[in-house]
C-alpha cells in the first residue's frame, strides 16, 4: 500500500480506485457572502481583524455579532470552519474596548479548544483585554492574577463548576462586570453531561445576578437539528438562532471504506486499515489526522504507522504521533504546535481534536469507525480543508453492524439532516446534586426556583427529607460542612495518576472508571508508542505504578454484571410481545483479565483481579416474547438463547441510527427467562446513572430501530453470523451461542406485533393489545423534530418509582461504557424467580438517588480534556436488594479502551454491560 509522492490528488486517485471503497460522495464547494463591518464595531477591533487578513465578515458572522451586541442571546449554528469564533469575538472585544471595566467568560468543552482560542484572542492584540486560560493546568501562582486582572477568561464547565462558582466571592469583581458568556461547541453538551452543564450555567446566571449583572449568552454550535431549542434548554433563556452559513467552503470528497475480508467472514481490523491509510498519506506528503474512537486505538494507529514509515525513511516515522487526553499539558501543546507548523504530517487522535481547534493546512481526515452521530462525523470531516481548499475524508468501517449498514446504505449518512442535540435538566440524578451545589454557594430562595425548572421543588423536598438541605423561611440551606462533589462528565471517580515506579515520572492520567480496565494490576499500558506494565493500582490514593516493558501480549479486562428491574414506566402489549421502558439496577465488577499474544490473539491465561463492584441505576428498554410465539415461528427451545443474544448484539449496534449515541453509551442483557419478567427478554440500557435518553429514544422509535436491526441481519451474506451482523468482538463467551436465522424470526414476531399495536392505536379499533405508547414508528431525531425525548404515558407504573426522562450523551467525551457478555448455556431457565418485586421497593430508595458525595474544600486542579473525564459522578446510594437476576461477565470498554473479551457467568443469560 504505497503511493508515489504527489500530494492529496495522488492520494485521492490511489484510494478511490480500490475495492474497499463502497461509495464516494462529492460535496460541492461554496462561494462566500461577505458584508461590511457593522457600524458599532470600534476601530481597534476592525484593525485587529484586518491585520489578520479579515477585511469583511461573512453575513452570518455579522448577523450573530449584531444580535449579541444588541443584548440578545444568540446561537450561531453553522458548519465546520465557518468562522464562528469571529461571531462571538467581535461583540465581546468591542464591549471590552468600549467599556474598560467589562469582562468576558469563555467556556470550551476541552482544554485544547480553550488553548486554541487563547492563541486566537491573544494574537489580535487588542489593548487592555489581557486574555488568560483558567483551568486545571493553570499554576496556582497565576490564578490570583487572572482573577484580578484578566478581562477575557477562558475556562471549561468543569472549572466553572468546581472552582469559580464555589469561590464566587473571590470572583466578585469579575462577575460584577460580566458582559458576555461565550459557550463554544455547545452541541457537545448532550445527555447527562449536557444536563449537568445546563445547571452549571443556571448557577452562573444566579451568581452573576447576585452581583447585579445579567450577561448576554453567545453560543456556537456545529450544524445541528433545532439549535434554538437545544440552546434554550441549555441556558434556560430565549435564544435567537443564526443558521445560514455564508462562509466559503472547498469541495470535499467523502469516501466510505469497508476493509477487505481476511478469511471467510472476518474483515481486517479498522484500526490496522486506518494505520495503513495514514502511512500512505504521510508517505505522499499529505497532512492528515486520523480520528480513532479509543485512546489505545489512537496509540496503536500511530505506532503501526510510525513503524511502517520508518522502514521507508526514519525521518518519516518521526513525523507521526498520537494525541489523546491523559497526556501532560506540555505534551499536548507540543503536538498541537507540531501539527500547525508542519513538523508533524500525521496525527492519530481521539475526539480530543474533533472540536474547533484551528488545524490550518490539513489535507485529509481518516475516521476510524462511525463516531456515533452524523454531527460528529461532519465535525471530524470538517477538520480538513479549513483554508478553503479541497479536502479528502474517509470513513473506515469497523466490523460492526452499524458501520456495515452505513457503508452499504450511504443515504443514511448523506441523505439525512444532522441530529438534534438532546438533554434534560429535569433528570433527578442531575437536578438533585446540582441544587445541593447551588445551595452550598448560597441559600436557595423561592425566586431561584424558576431558574431550575418546575421539577426543582419536589427534588428540594427530597433533599430536605434526606438531611442534605435545611428549610428556613428565607430559603434552603446546605447542611453538611463539606461541599458536594459532582462529576459533570460521568467518569465515576477521581483522576488516577500513572507514575513510572523507577523514576517517579508522571506519564499521564485517567479517570477512576477507566482505570478498572486500563490500569488494573498486570495491565499493559501504552503511552506514545511505549509499553508499560502496571505493578499496582491504588484507587484510594489515585495512583497506578508502572514499569517499562515490551511484553509479547495484550491485556483485556473482564467483568461480571447483574441486572434487575426497579420499575416500569411505559409499556406496549400486543399479543405475545411486550415492550417496556423503566428503571433498572445494574451492578458490575471487573473480576479478571486475559493475556493474549500479539498477532495471533492466542489466549495465554486468565488471571483474577480483586476490584470493587460498581452500581448503576439507569433507564432501560426491553422486550419480551412468549415461548409459545417463539415455538410457533420456528425457534426451537434450544435456539432461544442464541436467537435473543444475536438480536441483542445487532440491536445495540443499530441503536445509534435512532438515538444520538453510539454503542459505547449503552449496554444490554438477554436471557431465555429473566427472573423479573419470567419470559425470554432482551434489555438495552443507558450506561449513565439516571439514564441518558437513549432508552427513551429506542422505545419511541422501536419499529424503525428493530426494523433496521432485522434488515442488517437478514441482508448479511454470511451463513451463521459475523461481526458485520450479530457477532461482537467484545463478547467474552466467544459469540456463543448465536443463532442468526432464528434472530430474524424473533425480530419478525416483535415487529409484526408492534405494527398491529400501532395500527390499532391509529384506527382506535379495540383489540387484545394494551397500548401504552404511541411513538413506536417515530424516526430518528432530525432538524424538523423537537429535541425533547419522547416518552409515553405510563400504564403499568411501579408504585413509588420515578423514571427520569432525559436526552442523549457525548463522549465526548463520555465515561467508558461496556457491552456484550454472552450466555453460557441454554438460557436462564434455571434462574430463580424469587426476586424482590419492583413494586415492593420503598420510596426511600428512590429518594437516595439525589444524595451527592462530599468533597474537600479545594477546587479542581486537573480538568479533563477531550475524551477523558474529571471528578466523581453522583449516583444512587440506595442499596440494591439481594437479587438473583440474570448475570454474566465481560465488558465492552468505553472510548478509552480496546475491546475486552468476556467470559460466561454461572447464571445463564447474556449481558452487554456498562462500565
Amino acid at each position: 500500500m504505497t503511493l508515489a509522492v504527489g500530494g492529496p490528488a495522488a492520494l485521492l486517485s490511489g484510494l478511490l480506485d480500490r475495492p474497499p471503497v463502497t461509495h464516494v460522495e462529492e460535496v460541492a464547494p461554496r462561494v462566500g457572502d461577505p458584508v461590511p463591518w457593522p457600524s458599532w464595531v470600534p476601530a481597534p477591533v476592525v484593525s485587529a481583524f484586518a491585520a489578520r487578513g479579515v477585511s469583511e465578515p461573512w453575513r452570518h458572522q455579522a448577523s450573530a455579532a449584531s444580535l449579541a451586541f444588541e443584548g440578545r442571546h444568540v446561537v450561531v449554528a453553522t458548519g465546520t470552519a465557518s468562522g464562528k469564533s469571529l461571531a462571538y469575538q467581535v461583540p465581546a472585544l468591542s464591549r471590552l474596548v468600549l467599556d474598560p471595566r467589562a469582562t468576558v467568560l469563555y467556556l470550551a468543552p476541552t482544554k485544547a479548544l480553550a488553548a486554541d482560542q487563547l492563541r486566537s484572542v491573544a494574537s489580535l492584540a487588542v489593548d487592555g483585554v489581557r486574555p488568560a486560560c483558567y483551568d486545571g493546568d493553570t499554576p496556582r501562582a497565576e490564578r490570583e492574577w487572572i482573577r484580578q486582572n484578566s478581562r477575557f477568561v477562558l475556562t471549561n464547565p468543569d472549572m466553572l463548576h468546581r472552582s469559580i462558582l464555589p469561590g464566587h466571592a473571590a470572583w466578585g469583581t469579575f462577575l460584577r462586570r460580566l458582559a458576555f458568556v461565550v459557550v463554544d461547541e455547545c452541541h457537545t453538551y448532550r445527555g447527562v453531561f449536557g444536563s449537568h452543564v445546563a445547571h452549571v450555567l443556571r448557577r452562573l446566571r444566579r451568581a452573576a445576578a447576585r452581583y447585579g449583572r445579567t450577561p448576554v449568552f453567545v453560543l456556537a454550535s456545529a450544524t445541528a437539528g433545532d439549535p434554538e431549542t437545544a440552546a434554550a434548554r441549555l441556558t434556560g433563556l430565549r435564544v435567537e438562532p443564526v443558521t445560514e452559513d455564508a462562509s466559503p467552503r472547498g469541495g470535499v470528497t467523502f469516501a466510505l471504506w469497508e476493509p477487505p475480508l481476511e478469511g471467510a467472514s472476518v474483515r481486517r481490523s479498522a484500526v490496522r486499515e486506518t494505520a495503513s491509510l495514514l502511512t500512505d498519506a504521510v508517505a505522499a506528503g499529505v497532512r492528515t489526522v486520523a480520528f480513532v474512537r479509543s485512546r489505545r486505538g489512537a496509540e496503536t494507529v500511530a505506532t503501526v504507522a510510525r513503524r511502517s514509515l520508518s522502514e521507508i525513511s526514519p525521518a518519516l516515522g518521526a513525523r507521526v504521533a498520537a494525541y489523546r487526553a491523559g497526556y501532560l499539558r506540555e505534551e499536548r501543546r507540543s503536538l498541537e504546535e507540531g501539527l500547525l507548523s508542519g513538523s508533524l504530517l500525521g496525527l492519530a487522535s481521539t475526539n480530543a481534536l474533533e472540536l474547533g481547534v484551528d488545524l490550518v493546512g490539513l489535507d485529509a481526515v481518516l475516521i476510524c469507525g462511525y463516531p456515533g452521530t452524523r454531527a460528529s462525523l461532519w465535525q471530524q470531516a470538517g477538520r480538513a480543508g479549513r483554508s478553503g481548499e479541497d479536502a479528502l475524508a474517509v470513513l473506515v468501517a469497523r466490523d460492526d453492524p452499524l458501520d456495515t449498514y452505513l457503508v452499504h446504505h450511504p443515504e443514511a449518512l448523506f441523505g439525512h439532516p444532522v441530529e438534534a442535540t438532546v438533554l434534560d435538566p429535569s433528570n433527578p440524578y442531575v437536578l438533585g446534586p446540582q441544587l445541593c451545589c447551588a445551595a452550598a454557594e448560597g441559600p436557595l430562595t423561592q425566586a431561584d426556583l424558576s431558574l431550575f425548572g418546575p421539577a426543582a421543588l419536589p427534588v428540594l423536598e427530597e433533599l430536605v427529607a434526606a438531611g442534605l438541605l435545611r428549610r428556613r423561611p428565607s430559603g434552603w440551606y446546605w447542611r453538611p460542612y463539606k461541599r458536594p462533589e459532582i462529576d459533570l462528565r460521568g467518569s465515576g471517580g477521581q483522576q488516577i495518576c500513572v507514575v513510572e515506579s523507577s523514576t517517579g515520572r508522571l506519564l499521564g492520567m485517567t479517570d477512576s472508571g477507566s482505570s478498572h480496565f486500563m490500569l488494573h494490576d498486570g495491565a499493559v499500558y501504552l503511552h506514545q508508542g511505549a509499553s508499560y506494565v502496571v505493578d499496582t493500582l491504588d484507587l484510594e490514593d489515585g495512583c497506578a505504578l508502572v514499569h517499562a516493558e515490551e511484553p509479547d501480549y495484550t491485556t483485556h479486562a473482564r467483568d461480571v454484571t447483574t441486572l434487575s428491574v426497579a420499575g416500569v414506566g411505559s409499556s406496549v402489549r400486543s399479543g405475545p410481545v411486550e415492550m417496556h421502558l423503566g428503571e433498572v439496577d445494574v451492578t458490575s465488577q471487573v473480576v479478571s483479565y486475559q493475556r493474549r499474544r500479539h498477532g495471533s490473539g492466542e489466549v495465554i491465561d486468565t488471571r483474577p483481579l480483586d476490584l470493587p463492584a460498581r452500581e448503576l441505576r439507569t433507564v432501560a428498554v426491553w422486550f419480551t416474547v412468549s415461548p409459545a410465539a417463539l415455538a410457533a415461528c420456528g425457534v426451537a427451545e434450544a435456539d432461544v438463547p442464541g436467537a435473543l443474544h444475536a438480536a441483542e448484539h445487532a440491536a445495540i449496534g443499530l441503536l445509534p441510527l435512532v438515538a444520538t449515541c453510539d454503542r459505547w453509551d449503552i449496554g444490554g442483557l438477554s436471557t431465555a427467562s429473566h427472573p423479573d419478567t419470567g419470559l425470554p427478554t432482551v434489555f438495552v440500557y443507558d450506561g449513565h446513572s439516571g439514564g441518558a435518553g437513549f432508552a427513551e429514544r429506542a422505545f419511541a422509535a422501536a419499529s424503525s430501530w428493530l426494523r433496521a436491526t432485522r434488515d442488517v441481519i437478514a441482508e448479511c451474506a454470511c451463513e451463521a453470523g459475523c461481526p458485520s451482523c450479530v457477532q461482537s468482538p467484545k463478547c467474552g463467551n466467544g459469540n456463543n451461542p448465536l443463532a442468526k436465522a432464528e434472530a430474524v424470526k424473533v425480530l419478525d414476531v416483535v415487529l409484526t406485533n408492534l405494527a398491529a399495536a400501532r395500527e390499532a392505536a391509529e384506527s382506535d379499533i379495540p383489540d387484545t393489545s394494551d397500548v401504552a405508547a404511541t411513538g413506536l414508528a417515530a424516526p430518528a431525531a432530525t432538524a424538523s423534530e423537537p429535541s425533547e425525548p419522547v416518552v409515553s404515558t405510563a400504564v403499568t407504573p411501579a408504585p413509588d418509582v420515578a423514571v427520569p426522562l432525559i436526552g442523549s450523551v457525548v463522549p465526548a467525551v463520555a465515561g467508558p461504557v461496556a457491552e456484550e457478555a454472552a450466555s453460557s448455556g441454554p438460557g436462564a431457565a434455571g434462574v430463580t424467580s424469587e426476586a424482590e418485586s419492583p413494586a415492593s421497593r420503598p420510596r426511600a430508595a428512590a429518594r437516595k438517588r439525589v444524595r451527592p458525595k462530599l468533597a474537600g474544600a479545594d477546587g479542581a486542579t486537573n480538568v479533563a480534556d477531550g475524551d477523558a473525564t474529571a471528578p466523581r459522578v453522583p449516583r444512587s446510594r440506595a442499596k440494591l436488594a439481594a437479587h438473583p437476576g440474570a448475570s454474566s461477565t465481560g465488558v465492552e470498554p468505553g472510548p478509552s479502551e480496546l475491546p475486552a473479551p468476556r467470559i460466561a457467568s454461572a447464571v445463564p443469560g447474556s449481558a452487554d454491560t456498562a462500565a
Side-chain angles (χ1 to χ4, degrees):
M1 260 187 157
T2 305
L3 294 174
V5 175
L11 177 66
L12 178 62
S13 62
L15 291 180
L16 300 188
D17 292 337
R18 297 183 187 175
V21 175
T22 61
H23 178 80
V24 176
E25 188 80 8
E26 296 287 350
V27 180
R30 181 180 59 218
V31 177
D33 181 15
V35 297
W37 286 102
S39 59
W40 50 264
V41 181
V45 175
V46 174
S47 299
F49 280 100
R52 183 184 283 179
V54 180
S55 57
E56 291 179 316
W58 308 117
R59 184 174 299 278
H60 70 276
Q61 293 173 327
S63 297
S66 294
L67 288 169
F69 192 78
E70 293 166 5
R72 299 162 71 179
H73 310 293
V74 61
V75 56
V76 52
T78 52
T80 306
S82 60
K84 292 184 288 289
S85 297
L86 185 144
Y88 54 75
Q89 287 175 357
V90 167
L93 294 174
S94 296
R95 180 63 65 197
L96 296 183
V97 168
L98 297 173
D99 179 359
R101 296 169 59 84
T103 59
V104 172
L105 182 66
Y106 169 93
L107 299 174
T110 68
K111 294 178 183 178
L113 179 55
D116 180 75
Q117 284 299 301
L118 175 62
R119 287 191 292 265
S120 176
V121 174
S123 68
L124 291 170
V126 177
D127 289 341
V129 173
R130 299 186 294 277
C133 267
Y134 188 89
D135 59 26
D137 290 335
T138 305
R140 289 193 175 274
E142 297 178 12
R143 297 187 181 189
E144 179 63 26
W145 184 93
I146 293 172
R147 284 194 292 266
Q148 298 299 325
N149 297 282
S150 177
R151 299 176 61 211
F152 197 123
V153 173
L154 302 96
T155 187
N156 50 57
D158 310 79
M159 204 66 177
L160 178 61
H161 157 67
R162 292 177 60 83
S163 179
I164 296 176
L165 291 175
H168 61 80
W171 288 85
T173 301
F174 184 90
L175 293 172
R176 193 173 290 112
R177 302 170 178 178
L178 187 59
F180 285 101
V181 176
V182 178
V183 184
D184 204 356
E185 304 290 359
C186 67
H187 64 282
T188 63
Y189 301 124
R190 304 180 306 211
V192 173
F193 178 39
S195 300
H196 274 298
V197 173
H199 285 299
V200 172
L201 295 181
R202 285 160 173 77
R203 287 161 50 200
L204 173 61
R205 290 173 53 202
R206 178 173 176 256
R210 183 173 185 170
Y211 292 94
R213 297 295 293 183
T214 304
V216 174
F217 279 76
V218 184
L219 300 96
S221 169
T223 303
D226 200 10
E228 177 183 6
T229 301
R233 190 174 293 111
L234 184 64
T235 60
L237 300 164
R238 181 184 179 88
V239 180
E240 300 286 341
V242 175
T243 58
E244 294 295 328
D245 193 339
S247 64
R249 182 187 62 196
V252 178
T253 300
F254 207 128
L256 303 184
W257 183 285
E258 185 176 39
L261 288 170
E262 290 184 338
S265 60
V266 178
R267 294 196 177 275
R268 190 168 190 239
S269 160
V271 170
R272 297 284 174 177
E273 195 78 345
T274 302
S276 180
L277 292 173
L278 183 60
T279 300
D280 287 347
V282 173
V286 177
R287 197 176 302 180
T288 305
V289 166
F291 285 105
V292 190
R293 295 165 61 86
S294 72
R295 299 181 190 181
R296 189 176 294 182
E299 294 278 5
T300 300
V301 167
T303 300
V304 172
R306 274 197 298 261
R307 289 174 180 171
S308 299
L309 288 165
S310 295
E311 294 176 0
I312 302 172
S313 168
L316 279 178
R319 301 186 73 180
V320 175
Y323 184 102
R324 60 170 175 83
Y327 285 172
L328 301 181
R329 177 186 185 183
E330 295 74 16
E331 289 179 295
R332 295 196 305 269
R333 300 297 172 260
S334 174
L335 291 169
E336 292 162 14
E337 292 294 340
L339 192 62
L340 292 172
S341 67
S343 60
L344 285 177
L345 275 179
L347 200 63
S349 172
T350 59
N351 65 349
L353 281 181
E354 175 183 321
L355 304 179
V357 178
D358 192 9
L359 304 179
V360 178
L362 288 183
D363 301 308
V365 164
L366 306 174
I367 303 171
C368 182
Y370 181 59
T373 66
R374 288 183 290 273
S376 290
L377 181 75
W378 287 108
Q379 188 78 357
Q380 292 182 2
R383 293 302 97 190
R386 293 180 65 90
S387 298
E389 300 295 327
D390 291 349
L392 171 67
V394 180
L395 171 62
V396 180
R398 293 170 300 158
D399 209 355
D400 169 273
L402 178 59
D403 286 34
T404 300
Y405 181 87
L406 292 174
V407 295
H408 292 285
H409 295 80
E411 68 280 359
L413 286 177
F414 303 110
H416 288 75
V418 298
E419 304 86 353
T421 301
V422 185
L423 64 147
D424 179 19
S426 66
N427 178 356
Y429 289 86
V430 173
L431 179 56
Q434 287 290 340
L435 288 173
C436 289
C437 289
E441 292 157 9
L444 282 164
T445 66
Q446 195 71 36
D448 292 331
L449 297 190
S450 60
L451 279 173
F452 298 98
L457 185 56
V459 172
L460 283 173
E461 293 173 352
E462 289 190 5
L463 293 169
V464 171
L468 294 173
L469 298 183
R470 184 185 298 277
R471 180 73 165 99
R472 299 286 192 186
S474 56
W476 289 267
Y477 289 75
W478 174 243
R479 294 186 65 180
Y481 173 72
K482 295 182 178 180
R483 65 175 176 80
E485 181 183 352
I486 300 173
D487 176 10
L488 302 185
R489 300 175 188 257
S491 65
Q494 65 178 337
Q495 292 280 0
I496 304 296
C497 299
V498 183
V499 178
E500 188 173 22
S501 55
S502 61
T503 65
R505 181 168 65 103
L506 178 64
L507 297 177
M509 303 186 75
T510 189
D511 61 89
S512 178
S514 297
S515 69
H516 288 234
F517 301 95
M518 295 178 64
L519 297 173
H520 58 76
D521 293 359
V524 176
Y525 176 78
L526 296 178
H527 183 83
Q528 280 292 7
S531 292
Y532 298 85
V533 174
V534 178
D535 297 318
T536 59
L537 169 63
D538 190 329
L539 293 172
E540 290 187 4
D541 290 340
C543 180
L545 296 178
V546 303
H547 68 270
E549 185 179 336
E550 293 284 346
D552 62 348
Y553 59 85
T554 59
T555 54
H556 305 271
R558 308 159 73 170
D559 78 347
V560 177
T561 299
T562 61
L563 182 150
S564 60
V565 176
V568 180
S570 301
S571 297
V572 174
R573 293 184 178 86
S574 181
V577 173
E578 297 182 10
M579 178 160 282
H580 303 280
L581 176 73
E583 282 191 325
V584 296
D585 289 323
V586 182
T587 304
S588 64
Q589 181 180 17
V590 174
V591 295
S592 63
Y593 70 97
Q594 276 188 343
R595 298 193 304 165
R596 304 179 68 181
R597 295 198 187 280
H598 282 300
S600 68
E602 175 191 354
V603 176
I604 300 173
D605 57 19
T606 299
R607 299 189 173 190
L609 292 171
D610 183 19
L611 289 167
R614 288 167 296 164
E615 300 173 357
L616 175 74
R617 173 162 286 193
T618 187
V619 181
V621 58
W622 65 94
F623 66 80
T624 64
V625 185
S626 72
L630 294 178
C633 72
V635 179
E637 182 178 359
D639 290 329
V640 171
L644 298 176
H645 190 196
E648 177 211 346
H649 278 190
I652 287 175
L654 269 294
L655 183 55
L657 277 181
V658 299
T660 312
C661 69
D662 58 34
R663 73 186 306 156
W664 304 105
D665 297 317
I666 49 184
L669 180 144
S670 61
T671 175
S673 180
H674 190 274
D676 289 339
T677 66
L679 294 166
T681 309
V682 171
F683 291 89
V684 175
Y685 63 85
D686 296 349
H688 300 271
S689 182
F694 313 135
E696 283 94 337
R697 189 62 198 158
F699 183 80
S703 291
S704 55
W705 168 41
L706 295 179
R707 172 63 61 186
T709 301
R710 187 258 180 213
D711 290 346
V712 162
I713 300 173
E715 293 173 3
C716 187
C718 71
E719 181 178 347
C722 69
S724 296
C725 57
V726 300
Q727 289 184 359
S728 168
K730 295 96 177 171
C731 184
N733 208 46
N735 286 292
N736 179 46
L738 289 176
K740 176 186 175 182
E742 285 72 18
V744 175
K745 295 177 183 178
V746 171
L747 291 170
D748 281 339
V749 172
V750 174
L751 288 165
T752 298
N753 284 277
L754 291 183
R758 184 175 65 252
E759 291 170 4
E762 291 172 350
S763 59
D764 199 28
I765 298 175
D767 68 354
T768 58
S769 301
D770 177 7
V771 180
T774 58
L776 293 175
T782 67
S784 61
E785 296 180 59
S787 58
E788 290 283 4
V790 183
V791 179
S792 316
T793 304
V795 159
T796 57
D800 302 331
V801 178
V803 179
L805 316 177
I806 62 176
S808 67
V809 92
V810 130
V813 133
V817 176
E819 193 248 334
E820 265 125 320
S823 166
S824 61
V831 177
T832 176
S833 60
E834 297 175 0
E836 178 188 20
S837 166
S840 69
R841 294 179 181 272
R843 179 181 296 272
R847 282 178 177 164
K848 290 182 182 178
R849 68 175 179 265
V850 297
R851 292 180 64 90
K853 299 196 181 291
L854 303 180
D858 293 336
T861 58
N862 194 340
V863 178
D865 188 7
D867 64 346
T869 52
R872 183 182 306 274
V873 66
R875 63 180 182 181
S876 171
R877 287 188 177 180
K879 299 294 183 183
L880 297 179
H883 195 295
S887 81
S888 57
T889 66
V891 72
E892 174 175 313
S896 56
E897 297 91 35
L898 282 180
R902 297 173 179 269
I903 57 175
S905 165
V907 183
S910 88
D912 304 284
T913 63

